Amino acid sequence: MNGFDASVWTGRRDIGERGDTARLFERVEAFEASRHAPGQAQVPGRLSGAPVLIGFCCDEGVRRNQGRIGAAHAPRALRRALAGLPAHRLVRCFDAGDVLCESEDLEAAQAALGERVREVLASGARPIVLGGGHEVAWGTYTGLRRWLSEPAPSHAASDRPRRLLVVNFDAHFDLRTARPGNSGTPFDQIARDCDARGTPWRYACFGISELSNTPALFVRADEIGAHYVLDVAMRERDLDDRLAELDRLIDEADDIHLTIDLDVLPASVAPGVSAPAALGVPLAVVEAMVMRVRASAKLRAADLAEYNPQYDQDNHAARAAARLVYRLL
């Protein structure tokens, strides 16, 4: 685990300009679990939904899945892309440092990430995890699951189990059934965990490429009752229908885990990913749907995966990723 690194949060200062010229790097503070634990000085309200960034520096899932590695360097690069953006209405943002995958021990890294996510949720804040390969989603989920199992007013017991919605923007199902886990297995792992626990959940995947998923993966998606939309039905002209579809899914859920694989975007927009898309979904469509999830008040945790700065061109993918993360702040 690496702590808060202030050196990455730097940028231009418009000294002498009129009005509000604050940028994001001027709003970021270190998150410390002990200082922000429930019952500390900021109660009532605790962090009141403040965003907390967590880095997941990991290539092991992509390596196991035979992809091109480099996503372990994503968290720092994404912070740098975020740092210079104008703060606008954002008053406070926190950075909880990085979880590192060491000695190819992916499972230990995912467990550490899960604990960090749980700590952030317990503080009253919202974790936004910067991956790393898409194995990040299993780590985020485990933290969210642990937090939801703890008694708290925000998710008090009712006469029925809470319903979890996992919304994934992705060209791939990531429902591979082989083990050990990798960047292609997280949602199968979540499906099996929810089944074992009797947790009602729904998997919704937007942007699936028919040519990037085998028939076996479509069968697995149908087995778990996944809701999915192909990339060819995710054009800007389709946006109203997709938003209505998303609204129905949100209405049926109590808690949402949002996960974004940047390879859902066209390769021209996001060349720096582990598996560039031949077609992809327009950034404007993904952004509008992400904002709809954010506005639902049901979003508990989010993560972004597969940014690979080693293959980026002129920071195209970094800028697209930063724009999506910014919408979640």
Side-chain angles (χ1 to χ4, degrees):
M1 177 79 71
N2 280 348
F4 175 72
D5 181 2
S7 68
V8 76
W9 293 109
T10 59
R12 168 178 174 167
R13 295 182 185 272
D14 294 324
I15 299 173
E17 293 292 326
R18 295 173 56 188
D20 184 357
T21 62
R23 299 183 185 273
L24 191 59
F25 72 89
E26 299 175 81
R27 296 286 188 261
V28 176
E29 307 172 33
F31 175 87
E32 298 174 15
S34 59
R35 180 162 60 93
H36 295 118
Q40 299 302 314
Q42 71 277 12
V43 175
R46 289 179 283 174
L47 295 188
S48 302
V52 178
L53 300 173
I54 307 170
F56 185 64
C57 301
C58 183
D59 270 328
E60 180 59 17
V62 174
R63 187 193 67 79
R64 292 183 187 182
N65 200 27
Q66 304 176 55
R68 57 182 191 178
I69 63 173
H73 303 290
R76 183 176 181 83
L78 291 175
R79 287 184 177 97
R80 295 186 72 88
L82 283 164
L85 298 180
H88 287 297
R89 293 161 296 281
L90 184 67
V91 177
R92 302 178 81 192
C93 180
F94 294 87
D95 186 344
D98 293 329
V99 173
L100 310 180
C101 180
E102 300 177 313
S103 302
E104 301 181 357
D105 194 348
L106 172 59
E107 289 72 23
Q110 289 170 316
L113 173 60
E115 176 56 22
R116 198 60 164 163
V117 167
R118 187 204 64 79
E119 289 175 347
V120 170
L121 285 165
S123 76
R126 290 184 294 107
I128 302 172
V129 188
L130 308 177
H134 216 168
E135 66 272 16
V136 66
W138 172 247
T140 302
Y141 163 79
T142 59
L144 174 59
R145 182 197 68 207
R146 289 180 59 190
W147 176 71
L148 287 171
S149 69
E150 298 171 355
S154 59
H155 48 277
S158 66
D159 57 356
R160 60 166 177 77
R162 294 184 69 84
R163 301 161 299 184
L164 174 66
L165 173 64
V166 177
V167 178
N168 181 25
F169 292 95
D170 201 336
H172 308 90
F173 281 118
D174 290 343
L175 283 169
R176 295 182 181 275
T177 57
R179 298 295 186 270
N182 58 58
S183 64
T185 65
F187 305 107
D188 184 68
Q189 292 174 275
I190 293 172
R192 295 179 188 276
D193 188 73
C194 287
D195 286 347
R197 296 173 183 276
T199 302
W201 83 299
R202 191 78 185 275
Y203 178 43
C205 193
F206 294 93
I208 287 293
S209 169
E210 186 176 22
L211 300 183
S212 297
N213 296 271
T214 63
L217 290 168
F218 281 91
V219 170
R220 181 60 180 145
D222 291 336
E223 285 176 351
I224 67 170
H227 177 96
Y228 59 87
V229 180
L230 298 182
D231 51 6
V232 294
M234 296 283 292
R235 306 297 92 196
E236 292 194 41
R237 64 176 178 269
D238 303 310
L239 180 57
D240 287 345
D241 289 339
R242 299 291 79 81
L243 287 173
E245 212 168 11
L246 181 61
D247 285 342
R248 289 192 290 272
L249 291 164
I250 291 172
D251 287 344
E252 296 170 357
D254 297 299
D255 306 295
I256 300 176
H257 171 188
L258 173 65
T259 179
I260 305 169
D261 188 324
L262 288 176
D263 70 23
V264 74
L265 300 172
S268 58
V269 176
V273 296
S274 299
L279 178 62
V281 177
L283 177 59
V285 172
V286 175
E287 181 177 14
M289 297 183 72
V290 165
M291 292 174 68
R292 186 63 62 95
V293 173
R294 172 71 181 89
S296 72
K298 297 180 178 181
L299 178 61
R300 310 300 176 218
D303 52 56
L304 184 140
E306 304 286 354
Y307 174 55
N308 191 329
Q310 181 177 341
Y311 295 97
D312 206 359
Q313 299 170 14
D314 296 328
N315 293 320
H316 286 337
R319 290 190 180 97
R323 185 178 178 96
L324 293 174
V325 173
Y326 187 88
R327 294 308 184 194
L328 293 171
L329 300 180

